[in-house]
Amino acid sequence: MRRKPYVLLLNALPPLSLSLFLFLPFLVLTSAPPATAAENAEWAVYPAASHLGSRPYFYLTADPGTTLTDRVTVTNKSAAPLTFLLYGADAYNTARDGGFAVRGREEKQTGAGAWIKPARERVTVPPRSAVTVPYTLTVPADADPGDHPGAVVALDERIARADAPGRGTGGGTVALGVQRAVGARVYLRVGGPTVPALAVEDVTLDQDRPLVPGTGASTAVVSYTLHNRGNVTLSPKAALRARGLFGRTLLARDLDGLPAELLPRQKIRLTSRWTGAPQFDRGEVTVTATARGVRESAGVSFVALPWLPLAVLLAALLLAGAVVLRLRRRARPGTATRNGPQEGTPERASDPASDPLPGPARTPSPKPEAGLST
């Protein structure tokens, strides 16, 4: 049986900016997209603005219980009409590299994605044209203060086919139904106290050393988790430091590959390779993460020992000890048994003549005393 799972692909979105524009709700047709927008080769999605390219994303501020109104523009760059489903989506950091991603249309939305309501859920855009659709963003009265990132997404209704190699014993191919989407980021901050908080968790060190020291290079992989425990978006930086015996500095460098934005309540798992790790040492590896107003560290101890030479030495010591013990047992003199003669003492033969005769005991006769007779 051939399955057809549906995959949502969201194109990369533009970087952060600090513009804010609000517009009255109405529908506008335009003929050209702005210079910067979230787009692929066929369509683009971007905030409506009075100047082309001046507003690559939504940056909004609202208090709990208030409603904002804004507009999103969808541009069709192809030669055929396209129909899109418009919806709001919550944003999160991907587990792979911490990139900015949004939930699918069928997933549960709990933040900005649940509060965004486009005026039209389905919109058809003529060829080489653009349609601007208003939407409202209603912040619940009990919304938590801080950042609630999300996006306004235009999902292409068409399902493209993509064959992938089959799995299992049957082989063949599996037909994949692929839907593409493009979204414009929404950076929403709800009024109230902001609390930046960053944690470094679960630092581990996996070592790869040669069996015999000096016969090859050694490497280690440091893994750690960055966790945004606060309610504001952070731009984290991290540094790696390793110390050996007596406090010697073995490694000190800044880490790369960190996400530009670590969203609130999100965590990501990152790794860094350490080339030239020690082959005989004991110390600690520490990861220090910093962001605006926060600094946290965590580490793990390590022991680098040449296990194969140590195992051979231990085996040799055990073998030598066993040989010495056996030789000592052979050279030790014997000990006497309880019921037999002692070792080295000749056994005395019994003499029947010397043995006393059986019978009653004999009383010796008295000897007369020497003296004069009368």
Side-chain angles (χ1 to χ4, degrees):
M1 182 179 296
R2 307 178 73 182
R3 298 175 296 167
K4 292 188 177 182
Y6 295 102
V7 181
L8 176 63
L9 303 179
L10 182 63
N11 287 49
L13 302 175
L16 185 64
S17 178
L18 297 177
S19 305
L20 174 61
F21 293 90
L22 298 179
F23 294 87
L24 296 177
F26 60 96
L27 183 64
V28 179
L29 294 179
T30 61
S31 59
T36 59
E39 61 180 298
N40 58 20
E42 296 185 62
W43 73 92
V45 182
Y46 50 92
S50 57
H51 300 288
L52 298 181
S54 63
R55 197 182 179 207
Y57 69 95
F58 297 98
Y59 186 85
L60 308 173
T61 302
D63 292 328
T66 60
T67 298
L68 300 178
T69 301
D70 211 319
R71 300 182 304 158
V72 62
T73 299
V74 182
T75 298
N76 180 3
K77 303 182 346 183
S78 68
L82 295 177
T83 300
F84 302 97
L85 297 175
L86 296 180
Y87 68 95
D90 294 336
Y92 65 96
N93 289 105
T94 61
R96 183 185 63 179
D97 56 5
F100 190 102
V102 298
R103 307 290 178 190
R105 183 169 179 265
E106 301 302 326
E107 295 183 77
K108 183 179 180 180
Q109 315 291 343
T110 59
W115 308 337
I116 294 173
K117 301 297 181 184
R120 299 168 58 184
E121 293 185 356
R122 177 179 282 100
V123 58
T124 299
V125 184
R128 291 176 173 60
S129 299
V131 174
T132 296
V133 178
Y135 71 88
T136 59
L137 192 156
T138 302
V139 182
D142 59 348
D144 294 331
D147 293 341
H148 296 266
V152 180
V153 181
L155 173 66
D156 189 358
E157 280 195 327
R158 297 173 301 174
I159 299 177
R161 171 174 171 152
D163 290 336
R167 297 180 180 179
T169 57
T173 60
V174 177
L176 298 178
V178 179
Q179 283 188 281
R180 295 184 298 165
V182 176
R185 296 189 189 188
V186 175
Y187 290 92
L188 170 67
R189 173 161 292 186
V190 176
T194 57
V195 181
L198 180 64
V200 182
E201 302 171 344
D202 193 20
V203 181
T204 61
L205 180 70
D206 294 327
Q207 304 178 69
D208 184 11
R209 302 187 306 273
L211 294 177
V212 179
T215 60
S218 60
T219 60
V221 176
V222 180
S223 302
Y224 59 99
T225 297
L226 290 184
H227 187 184
N228 186 347
R229 294 180 175 272
N231 62 356
V232 293
T233 300
L234 301 176
S235 298
K237 296 181 180 179
L240 176 64
R241 180 177 292 273
R243 294 185 181 275
L245 285 173
F246 312 111
R248 296 177 300 110
T249 299
L250 305 176
L251 178 68
R253 71 160 185 255
D254 294 334
L255 295 175
D256 53 10
L258 276 69
E261 299 170 313
L262 185 58
L263 305 180
R265 298 167 293 278
Q266 295 292 305
K267 62 172 61 177
I268 56 173
R269 187 73 175 167
L270 300 172
T271 60
S272 179
R273 181 171 294 275
W274 177 10
T275 303
Q279 300 183 16
F280 189 85
D281 209 335
R282 179 180 180 180
E284 184 177 14
V285 171
T286 303
V287 177
T288 301
T290 58
R292 186 175 181 178
V294 293
R295 177 186 179 90
E296 293 293 335
S297 299
V300 61
S301 300
F302 70 90
V303 176
L305 292 176
W307 297 113
L308 180 60
L310 289 179
V312 173
L313 178 60
L314 180 60
L317 292 176
L318 292 177
L319 180 60
V323 171
V324 170
L325 183 62
R326 186 176 183 85
L327 292 177
R328 285 184 177 180
R329 285 181 177 177
R330 288 184 176 182
R332 185 184 305 169
T335 57
T337 60
R338 175 172 297 184
N339 299 321
Q342 293 185 356
E343 183 180 352
T345 303
E347 184 176 357
R348 183 171 58 89
S350 59
D351 186 0
S354 62
D355 290 340
L357 294 176
R362 299 178 182 178
T363 303
S365 58
K367 247 184 187 185
E369 294 181 358
L372 297 177
S373 62
T374 59

